[in-house]
Amino acid sequence: MKHSADELRQAFIRYFEQQGHQAVPSSALIPQADPTLLFTNAGMNQFKRVFLGEETRAYKRAVTVQKCLRAGGKHNDLENVGYTRRHHTFFEMLGNFSFGDYFKEDAIKFGWEFLTQTVGLDKSRLWVTVFREDDEADQLWRKIGVSPSRIVRCGEKDNFWQMADTGPCGPCSEIHFDQGPSVPGDDMPNGEGDRVIEIWNLVFMQYNRDASGKLNPLPKPSIDTGMGLERLTAVAQGVFSNYDSDLFRPLLTAIAKRAGTQYGHTDTADRSMRVVADHLRAISFLMTDGVLPSNEGRGYVLRRILRRAARHGRLLGIVEPFLHELSSVVVEQMAGVYSEVKAAAGTIAEATRGEEERFIATLDQGLPILNEMIAKTRSAGQTVLSGPDVFKLYDTYGFPMDLIGESCREQGMTVDEKGFDQAIEEQRTRARKTGGFEQETARPVVSELAGRLGATKFVGYDRLETDAVLQAILKGERMVKEAVEGDDVEVALDVTPFYAEGGGQVGDQGVLVGPEGRLDIKETTRPVPTLILHKGTVSKGRIREGEQLRMSVNATTRQDAARNHTATHLVHAALRDMLGPHVKQYGSLVGPNRLRFDFAHFRPLSSRDIDEIETTVNNEIRKNEAVTTEVMSIQDAVAKGALAFFGDKYGEQVRVVTVEAFSKELCGGTHCRHTGEIGLFRIVSETGVAAGVRRIEAQTGSGAFALVKELEAEVREMSELLKVGQPELVSKTRKVLAQLKDKERELEELKLKMASGSAVASTARTVAGVPVHVQRTDGLDVNGMRALADQLRDKLKSGVVALGAATDDGKVVLLVVVTKDLIGKLKAGELIKAMAAEVGGTGGGRPEMAQAGGKDPARLDAALEKVFGLVESSLQR
């Protein structure tokens, strides 16, 4: 009986709902509040804390179809994708779960019944494996009619599952399917080849492994099962490859059409099409769940997947961006099941196109170099590429290491990975020495102090003043008993209302007043998690260890910081609402005088976008919405929709800051009580800080008001300078700029005319039959030199043009142009390198045109004269 993938999904959910299971939606590919995982890689991930006994649900049985990704960390199938017919980066896992409810007997019955009755698989082609010591499972399989000859006992490697070195674990039982003798491989489970493949794993969690390795029975054994939809679909449809099922056929058809070929004709093309098909699904779902290409973490994995797909497109003969076009096929196919994919279609296409274009530029630069390296290595009778050479390609051109390795693999070669790693480490060492970057660790005196004093109690959410006992005084790296007027010190107290720098928010300022003195606090820090230190200067008298001090936070700077912090939450929510769920905070700075917010996005914001963000945030401010805080478990916070991100460290209890229905985030900072306290919000700038990362800088409250007043003053001054009223300022400015542009064009034309008519500083010779024109062009900028070079090249028809100019700042600019008919013998980039060396500079470019700079104008004439000899020697090779 054949089933479509959609029918199998629905049938799986429906069957287990009939068995009393709660259908639970798939969680995102990014595990929230679980820093142990890079991606969701199994159906049980979202129930992990339930299995660990740290969380309870309203149901005891659950069924899911879970989005999964295995392309990083322990489970990484990326390198196998395309080379096999059953490995994937993105896939869907069908699973049923029991949390201390039913156990082995029902799990076995459900599995067998679903496969043989609902799906209709041939019982005679099914095999079962059990753990070698699990007599109970063996008997239960026999009880439902499985022949003992079809039950195979296996060891821990294949049939014992555990979450980690300690914790819940237990034997498992796998159901395998025999695809028949036409498929290469052994006719038994866990053998060589693909003839008998595993389709469903039933895990019986019945033990808890302690630190000594002992297995202790769990009071409430549980069930965790997983079955790949892709593999089940292939088996149910009677095809031997997952890629031949209806999950992949529409994609492969679209890819083949785009490449001008057909799937199934050649192994190499088929492999590349499988890679593209698989990776398009991963790209689409990762971007849907908020991941964008970047140089770290999940974004880096996405970048690798996308670039690997783009490279295989190149192997299929597709040299321009194409993945963004084909992403619509994924959206169309999957939107009925995952509506969020349709909502993210625009983001997927735009972000994919941008990354493709950047990568094509990288390939165009790096591939010829890599191919030359491979050819030289092979001609030397070797099969291993030099590690330092590979590192140069990786470091200079940004060519991905995994693609270098794959290119070598396809040509029967390998990379000297040890030499490559050594070159990387040497670069890191140089960077650390040059930049002065060392891993920050707590100073020994601070660590000793934290161990002795214990945790500082923070009470600053509710008050700005309190009495506290001065527990320690640090003067430099020494502990002292007292500090006197003029001393710069750090002090620790048992309790404090001062907020310590953290989460992007700067530390509080204020004063500490004692019986005999006063300490002005300029900075509050938390050098170790438990200890808060107050840095400042004794401005009056003296302070002593053990004294009781009155602590007062500067209310103005605290409130200004709170305005900016609450505003960052509003900005974050506005960006996500306007741009999409891929927007994620990458960092922030919240001070009394400004806010800075870094976020994931793939293009600059338009002026209209910026206006819309400002309008949205100011609308929330005018609503004067309540800003509430609540402490709850991390699980409850995520369940209620609070934003939490992979990589952030959260304790068992977290603080959730909510602005009515507009924003909900985990945050330990200080905030306004109502949004109206922000007063006014103005964006100062929007810039890019890295690939896929944008930055907004803004002002609130009095800072925003001062910004408006400053802009008004500048507008008035411009009106006075241009002698027009403010309403006519823009039109007058446009008119002046147009006039200025006309004058600049006239000046450039005059310079060019003078340079092209100059005979004093130019020389023309014929070298080995090739006309060579050399000329000094002092006074022309680079654009003028290019225009002159174009004129001279067109006049020569065939030849070489070399221009050089000394600039006003004591530098040299060189330009070489070679007509297209000569670039087989003469290359502008090679000529200019030798010229640039003459003037103490470097340069390069394309074979037909190259540009260089230098530092020694006195050698410019010598550099230009050198061209004649360089052309002659090049033609004689």
Side-chain angles (χ1 to χ4, degrees):
M1 178 179 181
K2 293 188 176 182
H3 299 271
S4 71
D6 286 342
E7 289 170 341
L8 287 169
R9 274 195 211 93
Q10 295 166 11
F12 186 78
I13 295 292
R14 186 168 56 248
Y15 172 83
F16 280 98
E17 282 183 322
Q18 291 169 355
Q19 311 305 323
H21 291 63
Q22 172 68 46
V24 180
S26 171
S27 63
L29 286 175
I30 294 81
Q32 289 194 321
D34 187 354
T36 67
L37 286 174
L38 191 62
F39 298 108
T40 299
N41 58 25
M44 62 81 61
N45 288 167
Q46 66 170 308
F47 304 117
K48 180 177 174 180
R49 300 182 75 92
V50 181
F51 285 124
L52 290 171
E54 298 171 354
E55 179 187 339
T56 58
R57 298 284 177 99
Y59 43 85
K60 295 284 189 180
R61 302 180 176 196
V63 58
T64 65
V65 179
Q66 175 64 50
K67 299 179 294 186
C68 295
L69 194 105
R70 292 185 177 177
K74 179 181 177 183
H75 297 288
N76 185 356
D77 291 334
L78 182 60
E79 302 305 324
N80 291 319
V81 172
Y83 290 87
T84 73
R85 297 176 183 273
R86 56 190 176 86
H87 279 100
H88 304 289
T89 51
F90 171 84
F91 64 98
E92 298 171 82
M93 184 177 284
L94 311 175
N96 58 288
F97 308 90
S98 164
F99 311 119
D101 187 17
Y102 64 84
F103 197 45
K104 290 183 186 179
E105 183 168 12
D106 283 336
I108 287 171
K109 182 188 76 172
F110 294 153
W112 189 255
E113 190 172 276
F114 176 75
L115 289 178
T116 59
Q117 296 182 27
T118 304
V119 180
L121 297 185
D122 184 349
K123 295 179 183 179
S124 67
R125 299 177 70 177
L126 292 173
W127 287 84
V128 171
T129 62
V130 298
F131 183 50
R132 64 188 172 218
E133 299 171 15
D134 195 350
D135 296 333
E136 181 185 8
D138 187 298
Q139 291 302 315
L140 288 170
W141 283 114
R142 296 179 188 219
K143 182 179 177 182
I144 62 170
V146 178
S147 167
S149 63
R150 307 291 287 186
I151 302 172
V152 180
R153 295 204 181 208
C154 300
E156 288 191 19
K157 177 179 176 290
D158 295 307
N159 282 83
F160 195 92
W161 180 92
Q162 57 189 53
M163 190 180 296
D165 292 336
T166 60
C169 58
C172 59
S173 187
E174 296 173 344
I175 304 174
H176 298 248
F177 183 79
D178 186 347
Q179 299 189 92
S182 60
V183 178
D186 296 339
D187 61 356
M188 294 278 289
N190 298 326
E192 295 295 324
D194 285 345
R195 172 172 172 173
V196 179
I197 59 169
E198 173 207 338
I199 55 176
W200 203 346
N201 187 11
L202 316 179
V203 177
F204 311 132
M205 276 195 270
Q206 63 187 95
Y207 301 112
N208 183 64
R209 190 187 295 274
D210 62 25
S212 69
K214 182 181 177 183
L215 296 176
N216 303 296
L218 288 171
K220 291 185 177 181
S222 298
I223 292 294
D224 160 27
T225 83
M227 172 166 56
L229 175 65
E230 291 74 12
R231 199 172 294 189
L232 175 66
T233 303
V235 166
Q237 293 176 3
V239 294
F240 302 138
S241 166
N242 295 359
Y243 293 93
D244 290 333
S245 74
D246 68 339
L247 273 169
F248 288 92
R249 279 199 305 270
L251 254 179
L252 287 167
T253 300
I255 294 164
K257 182 178 180 182
R258 183 66 177 79
T261 185
Q262 285 187 319
Y263 184 71
H265 276 202
T266 65
D267 289 342
T268 54
D270 288 355
R271 181 175 65 219
S272 289
M273 284 189 272
R274 287 194 293 269
V275 169
V276 174
D278 172 272
H279 289 9
L280 270 169
R281 287 167 27 113
I283 291 163
S284 300
F285 277 93
L286 280 169
M287 289 186 179
T288 296
D289 283 351
V291 182
L292 289 178
S294 71
N295 288 327
E296 58 186 15
R298 298 186 308 271
Y300 179 65
V301 175
L302 171 57
R303 172 164 284 168
R304 286 185 63 195
I305 291 171
L306 198 153
R307 291 185 166 192
R308 189 170 187 259
R311 179 177 169 273
H312 277 274
R314 179 69 65 100
L315 295 177
L316 289 167
I318 308 173
V319 295
E320 61 279 336
F322 74 103
L323 295 172
H324 66 287
E325 299 171 1
L326 294 176
S327 66
S328 62
V329 182
V330 179
V331 172
E332 183 180 347
Q333 185 178 5
M334 306 299 278
V337 184
Y338 302 102
S339 58
E340 65 268 25
V341 178
K342 187 173 184 179
T347 296
I348 296 167
E350 190 171 354
T352 301
R353 183 187 182 100
E355 183 67 18
E356 275 188 282
E357 289 173 344
R358 284 188 290 272
F359 182 54
I360 284 172
T362 298
L363 279 181
D364 287 342
Q365 280 188 304
L367 268 179
I369 299 171
L370 176 60
N371 290 335
E372 185 178 346
M373 287 167 54
I374 291 174
K376 283 183 177 178
T377 303
R378 181 173 283 123
S379 64
Q382 299 174 351
T383 59
V384 181
L385 256 61
S386 156
D389 287 349
V390 169
F391 171 75
K392 184 178 179 181
L393 178 61
Y394 164 84
D395 188 51
T396 306
Y397 296 94
F399 207 82
M401 183 58 189
D402 54 315
L403 293 191
I404 295 173
E406 190 166 347
S407 297
C408 290
R409 174 181 172 184
E410 289 166 356
Q411 300 196 43
M413 306 191 78
T414 58
V415 172
D416 172 18
E417 293 186 9
K418 186 175 180 181
F420 175 81
D421 292 340
Q422 183 178 344
I424 277 195
E425 188 53 40
E426 287 173 358
Q427 186 202 50
R428 287 173 180 160
T429 302
R430 288 194 299 270
R432 280 195 294 268
K433 289 178 179 177
T434 303
F437 296 118
E438 297 294 339
Q439 185 167 356
E440 188 176 339
T441 57
R443 293 140 53 197
V445 66
V446 170
S447 298
E448 186 275 326
L449 188 61
R452 178 164 63 85
L453 298 182
T456 309
K457 183 180 180 182
F458 175 65
V459 296
Y461 290 133
D462 306 313
R463 67 188 96 155
L464 297 181
E465 294 190 356
T466 192
D467 291 326
V469 174
L470 180 54
Q471 294 182 305
I473 304 172
L474 273 177
K475 189 174 180 182
E477 298 304 304
R478 292 186 303 114
M479 303 277 283
V480 297
K481 294 297 183 181
E482 70 173 24
V484 299
E485 188 171 330
D487 284 349
D488 293 324
V489 294
E490 298 170 87
V491 298
L493 300 101
D494 60 335
V495 61
T496 181
F498 283 67
Y499 180 82
E501 179 179 347
Q505 181 174 333
V506 301
D508 277 332
Q509 301 176 4
V511 297
L512 278 62
V513 179
E516 300 181 49
R518 168 187 168 120
L519 179 64
D520 294 338
I521 302 301
K522 300 299 181 186
E523 186 180 357
T524 307
T525 63
R526 191 188 295 270
V528 294
T530 58
L531 181 67
I532 295 177
L533 290 180
H534 309 75
K535 298 182 178 183
T537 304
V538 179
S539 59
K540 180 181 177 182
R542 70 183 66 228
I543 57 172
R544 289 189 175 95
E545 183 182 303
E547 286 182 337
Q548 183 162 307
L549 306 181
R550 183 66 179 174
M551 308 184 71
S552 302
V553 175
N554 184 318
T556 301
T557 55
R558 163 67 81 86
Q559 188 59 32
D560 285 344
R563 288 188 180 97
N564 284 327
H565 206 154
T566 303
T568 62
H569 284 220
L570 298 182
V571 169
H572 195 180
L575 287 166
R576 287 175 66 87
D577 185 57
M578 185 177 78
L579 303 178
H582 64 277
V583 171
K584 171 201 166 180
Q585 178 177 331
Y586 264 48
S588 66
L589 174 65
V590 178
N593 59 335
R594 66 184 178 124
L595 71 87
R596 186 182 73 213
F597 185 77
D598 296 347
F599 60 99
H601 192 50
F602 43 82
R603 60 171 170 79
L605 301 186
S606 66
S607 56
R608 181 177 294 180
D609 292 335
I610 292 171
D611 287 343
E612 187 174 337
I613 294 164
E614 274 194 348
T615 299
T616 301
V617 172
N618 281 306
N619 283 343
E620 289 299 315
I621 291 171
R622 284 192 294 275
K623 288 178 185 177
N624 199 28
E625 301 278 21
V627 182
T628 59
T629 59
E630 187 179 359
V631 176
M632 62 184 75
S633 71
I634 180 66
Q635 297 76 35
D636 288 342
V638 172
K640 290 182 178 182
L643 289 179
F645 299 107
F646 171 84
D648 293 347
K649 295 179 181 178
Y650 303 112
E652 283 302 308
Q653 296 294 108
V654 294
R655 194 163 175 266
V656 179
V657 177
T658 304
V659 181
E660 292 299 321
F662 189 72
S663 167
K664 190 187 293 286
E665 290 191 37
L666 304 187
C667 181
T670 64
H671 287 270
C672 301
R673 303 294 182 186
H674 292 83
T675 58
E677 295 172 26
I678 297 171
L680 177 65
F681 172 80
R682 290 300 305 271
I683 292 176
V684 178
S685 66
E686 189 275 341
T687 55
V689 293
V693 182
R694 309 296 302 174
R695 170 173 293 172
I696 281 177
E697 299 200 45
Q699 296 269 15
T700 63
S702 58
F705 181 70
L707 181 64
V708 171
K709 298 299 289 181
E710 182 182 342
L711 290 172
E712 286 181 351
E714 290 175 353
V715 168
R716 281 196 300 270
E717 186 176 352
M718 287 180 67
S719 296
E720 292 168 3
L721 288 170
L722 294 172
K723 295 181 172 54
V724 294
Q726 291 184 19
E728 295 85 35
L729 187 58
V730 173
S731 60
K732 177 68 173 180
T733 302
R734 286 197 181 110
K735 185 176 180 181
V736 170
L737 288 173
Q739 291 172 344
L740 182 61
K741 193 171 183 179
D742 288 341
K743 297 299 182 185
E744 287 176 345
R745 186 171 61 251
E746 290 174 10
L747 181 60
E748 286 302 315
E749 288 173 354
L750 181 59
K751 285 181 178 179
L752 185 58
K753 188 175 182 181
M754 292 173 65
S756 61
S758 172
V760 176
S762 65
T763 305
R765 298 181 198 166
T766 299
V767 178
V770 173
V772 180
H773 182 100
V774 174
Q775 183 171 341
R776 281 193 67 143
T777 56
D778 297 349
L780 280 185
D781 62 10
V782 173
N783 290 331
M785 291 173 70
R786 286 179 177 170
L788 176 59
D790 289 342
Q791 282 187 11
L792 294 169
R793 180 196 58 209
D794 295 342
K795 186 177 178 181
L796 288 176
K797 305 298 184 185
S798 176
V800 176
V801 176
L803 307 179
T807 63
D808 293 337
D809 58 355
K811 300 289 179 63
V812 173
V813 178
L814 296 169
L815 184 71
V816 174
V817 171
V818 176
T819 55
K820 286 187 178 180
D821 62 310
L822 297 174
I823 59 176
K825 300 176 182 178
L826 297 168
K827 291 182 170 49
E830 294 177 1
L831 296 175
I832 209 162
K833 281 181 183 177
M835 293 172 64
E838 191 72 34
V839 290
T842 58
R846 303 188 307 276
E848 64 271 21
M849 188 182 78
Q851 184 179 321
K855 299 177 286 189
D856 188 359
R859 300 292 302 164
L860 175 56
D861 289 336
L864 290 170
E865 182 65 27
K866 195 170 187 176
V867 175
F868 300 110
L870 292 170
V871 170
E872 186 174 12
S873 60
S874 296
L875 292 172
Q876 289 174 351
R877 287 181 200 164

